[in-house]
């Protein structure tokens, strides 16, 4: 068993609120599947929350599994990876201005938290198409009235 950081983020990008807890787990995937739904709906987060399950693998490398509000396990989450990096720096586990590797099931992301609070968080990583489809046009108010 290893120590796991659980980071629940609530809010929107630019105003991210973090709560951290620690648990002993044997597998991140199992922890995300078993604890994610419970934390997502915790009363502390009335609108629900995304939850990042994190294990530090090396100084600047973190393994991350994300339970996304309303979706479940996701392959990647850029805002979650940035929240993990911010929490790592705030918690003294990593340094400002140094790229951190976030290992998610969908691939690695590199995140840098700047020492200048006016500068933006930087995230780099691969992008690839995972779905393509067509959505029907949105109904107009007139179309909706006709259906009634």
């Amino acid at each position: 068993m290893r120590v796991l950081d659980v980071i629940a983020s609530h809010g929107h990008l630019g105003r991210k609120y973090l709560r951290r807890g620690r648990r002993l787990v044997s597998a991140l995937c199992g922890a995300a599947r078993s604890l994610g739904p419970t934390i997502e709906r915790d009363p502390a987060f009335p609108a629900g929350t995304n939850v990042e399950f994190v294990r530090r693998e090396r100084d600047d490398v973190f393994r991350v599994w994300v339970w996304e509000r309303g979706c479940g396990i996701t392959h990647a989450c850029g805002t979650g990876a940035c929240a993990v990096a911010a929490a790592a720096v705030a918690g003294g586990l990593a340094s400002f201005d140094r790229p951190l590797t976030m290992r998610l099931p969908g691939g690695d992301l590199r995140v840098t938290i700047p020492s200048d609070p006016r500068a933006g968080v930087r995230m780099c990583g691969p992008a690839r198409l995972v779905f393509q489809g067509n959505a029907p046009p949105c109904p107009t108010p007139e179309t909706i009235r006709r259906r009634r």
Side-chain angles (χ1 to χ4, degrees), residues 23-148:
R23 304 241 178 163
L24 287 175
V25 298
S26 56
L28 288 179
C29 175
R33 291 185 193 288
S34 63
L35 298 173
T38 302
I39 297 170
E40 173 192 357
R41 293 187 291 274
D42 187 282
F45 307 104
T49 188
N50 294 344
V51 188
E52 287 75 32
F53 295 85
V54 184
R55 183 171 51 227
R56 185 178 185 193
E57 294 189 337
R58 292 193 312 269
D59 281 352
D60 295 335
V61 179
F62 298 82
R63 174 77 55 189
V64 181
W65 277 74
V66 178
W67 180 271
E68 193 155 340
R69 173 182 61 201
C71 299
I73 298 291
T74 60
H75 287 161
C77 179
T79 53
C82 291
V84 168
V89 170
L93 298 174
S95 301
F96 286 108
D97 301 314
R98 186 170 179 168
L100 305 174
T101 299
M102 301 294 146
R103 294 228 153 109
L104 294 115
D108 290 359
L109 295 173
R110 304 277 289 166
V111 180
T112 305
I113 304 296
S115 55
D116 179 352
R118 295 168 296 168
V121 172
R122 292 180 301 278
M123 180 184 69
C124 297
R128 61 182 178 259
L129 182 64
V130 295
F131 178 81
Q132 185 172 340
N134 295 310
C138 293
T140 63
E142 182 179 322
T143 309
I144 294 170
R145 279 194 296 276
R146 278 192 239 147
R147 291 182 187 166
R148 292 181 188 165

